[in-house]
C-alpha cells in the first residue's frame, strides 16, 4: 500500500515567494495533520483536519500560512510570502478511525525540506 | 498543560549495548503514550504505544512500560544494532484529542 505522499521533497525559494506544499493521505484515512520540524523548536503541529474540516489551527504561526483540504485525498499548505525563518522540514501525517482503540496511530510522509533564501 | 520531556541526546553506544532513553510526561486526564522513530531522511514511524497504566508496548526488540506512578514511559532495548541509529521521539495524546504532543527527540548513534 502507498503511504502518505508529499511533494515536492525539496524546495528552494527566495524570500517573498509563494510556496505550496502538497500531501496525499493514505486512502481511507479521515484525519490529516501538518507538522513543522526545526532544530530549534523540534516537531510542531500546525493544523489538523477531520473529514476535510479544519479542527485545530492554533499551531499555524501567522497569517502567512494557510492550509486547505478540498477532498479526502489531497491537502495543501501554503506560505505567502515566504521568509527565511520558514525554512524547515514540513511533514504531513494521516490517521484512520480505529474504533476499538483509544487513539489512532498517525502515519507520516517523508517530508518536504524547505529552504527560503 | 500537556508536555513530554525526553532524555537529552545525542546518545552514542556500541553495538550490542543496552539502551535506555528516558521519557516523562505531564498530562491532564489519562494519556496514551507513544514512541516514534525517525530514520535519516525519512518521516516518523510508530515504534510502539501503550494506552493505559502498566501496559507494555513492544516492537523490534524495543519495549516501554506505561508507569502512571512515575509518569514515565522509558524506552529500552537489550542489545542495539547499527541499524537502530535514528532519532527517537516520545509522545502523548490525551483521551478525546487527536493531537500528539512530542518530546524534543533523542538522537541515537550505534557504532559497530
Amino acid at each position: 500500500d502507498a503511504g502518505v505522499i508529499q511533494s515536492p521533497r525539496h524546495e528552494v525559494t527566495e524570500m517573498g515567494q509563494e510556496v505550496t506544499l502538497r500531501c496525499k493521505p493514505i486512502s481511507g484515512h479521515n484525519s490529516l495533520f501538518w507538522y513543522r520540524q526545526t532544530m530549534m523548536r523540534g516537531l510542531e503541529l500546525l493544523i489538523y483536519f477531520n473529514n476535510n474540516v479544519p479542527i485545530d489551527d492554533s499551531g499555524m504561526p501567522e497569517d502567512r500560512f494557510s492550509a486547505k483540504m478540498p477532498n479526502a485525498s489531497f491537502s495543501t499548505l501554503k506560505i505567502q510570502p515566504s521568509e527565511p525563518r520558514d525554512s524547515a522540514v514540513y511533514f504531513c501525517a494521516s490517521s484512520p478511525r480505529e474504533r476499538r482503540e483509544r487513539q489512532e496511530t498517525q502515519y507520516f510522509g517523508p517530508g518536504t525540506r524547505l529552504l527560503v533564501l | 498543560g500537556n508536555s513530554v520531556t525526553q532524555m537529552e541526546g545525542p546518545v552514542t553506544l556500541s553495538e550490542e549495548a543496552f539502551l535506555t532513553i528516558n521519557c516523562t510526561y505531564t498530562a491532564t486526564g489519562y494519556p496514551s503514550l507513544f514512541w516514534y522513530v525517525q530514520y535519516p531522511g525519512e518521516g516518523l514511524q510508530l515504534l510502539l504505544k501503550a494506552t493505559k497504566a502498566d501496559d507494555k508496548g513492544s516492537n523490534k526488540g524495543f519495549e516501554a512500560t506505561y508507569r502512571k506512578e512515575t509518569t514515565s514511559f522509558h524506552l529500552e532495548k537489550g542489545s542495539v544494532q547499527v541499524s537502530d541509529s535514528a532519532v527517537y521521539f516520545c509522545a502523548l495524546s490525551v483521551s478525546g484529542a487527536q493531537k500528539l504532543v512530542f518530546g524534543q527527540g533523542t538522537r541515537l548513534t550505534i557504532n559497530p
Side-chain angles (χ1 to χ4, degrees):
Chain A
D1 290 339
V4 175
I5 298 172
Q6 290 186 247
S7 65
R9 292 294 309 275
H10 302 273
E11 177 81 23
V12 181
T13 191
E14 293 187 347
M15 183 174 63
Q17 296 298 305
E18 178 180 294
V19 175
T20 299
L21 311 181
R22 297 173 176 80
C23 175
K24 176 179 170 56
I26 293 172
S27 178
H29 286 192
N30 60 354
S31 297
L32 184 140
F33 306 80
W34 281 102
Y35 291 88
R36 178 172 67 176
Q37 185 179 38
T38 61
M39 290 293 291
M40 292 297 295
R41 300 174 68 91
L43 198 62
E44 304 172 277
L45 176 66
L46 301 177
I47 185 172
Y48 78 94
F49 297 82
N50 275 354
N51 297 317
N52 313 337
V53 176
I55 301 300
D56 185 345
D57 65 354
S58 60
M60 295 286 263
E62 49 197 273
D63 292 345
R64 297 184 298 106
F65 285 70
S66 62
K68 294 182 179 180
M69 192 165 185
N71 56 61
S73 58
F74 183 65
S75 176
T76 59
L77 178 68
K78 186 175 294 187
I79 308 172
Q80 167 62 19
S82 58
E83 296 182 3
R85 60 193 168 121
D86 301 330
S87 298
V89 181
Y90 290 82
F91 289 104
C92 177
S94 69
S95 70
R97 180 71 62 182
E98 298 173 9
R99 295 178 183 176
R100 289 180 292 176
E101 300 205 27
R102 280 187 60 199
Q103 188 57 47
E104 301 88 346
T105 298
Q106 292 187 21
Y107 297 81
F108 282 73
T112 295
R113 186 173 296 274
L114 173 65
L115 177 61
V116 183
L117 301 174
Chain B
N2 302 318
S3 66
V4 175
T5 302
Q6 278 183 241
M7 169 179 175
E8 287 198 19
V11 174
T12 302
L13 296 172
S14 297
E15 205 165 21
E16 300 184 3
F18 183 86
L19 168 70
T20 300
I21 300 178
N22 291 337
C23 171
T24 57
Y25 67 89
T26 302
T28 55
Y30 300 97
S32 294
L33 302 172
F34 305 80
W35 277 101
Y36 279 80
V37 58
Q38 183 179 27
Y39 298 104
E42 298 183 11
L44 280 69
Q45 304 173 25
L46 178 68
L47 181 59
L48 54 85
K49 66 181 181 182
T51 58
K52 60 183 187 296
D54 299 325
D55 269 2
K56 178 185 284 188
S58 61
N59 186 25
K60 299 182 181 180
F62 290 89
E63 293 183 340
T65 301
Y66 188 141
R67 301 287 188 199
K68 184 179 175 184
E69 62 277 10
T70 55
T71 62
S72 65
F73 192 55
H74 304 321
L75 182 68
E76 296 182 336
K77 186 174 185 182
S79 177
V80 293
Q81 306 300 313
V82 172
S83 57
D84 294 327
S85 299
V87 181
Y88 292 80
F89 291 90
C90 186
L92 69 81
S93 68
V94 178
S95 178
Q98 287 183 271
K99 294 168 61 170
L100 283 173
V101 176
F102 285 92
Q104 70 271 35
T106 301
R107 182 175 298 276
L108 173 67
T109 301
I110 307 299
N111 294 320

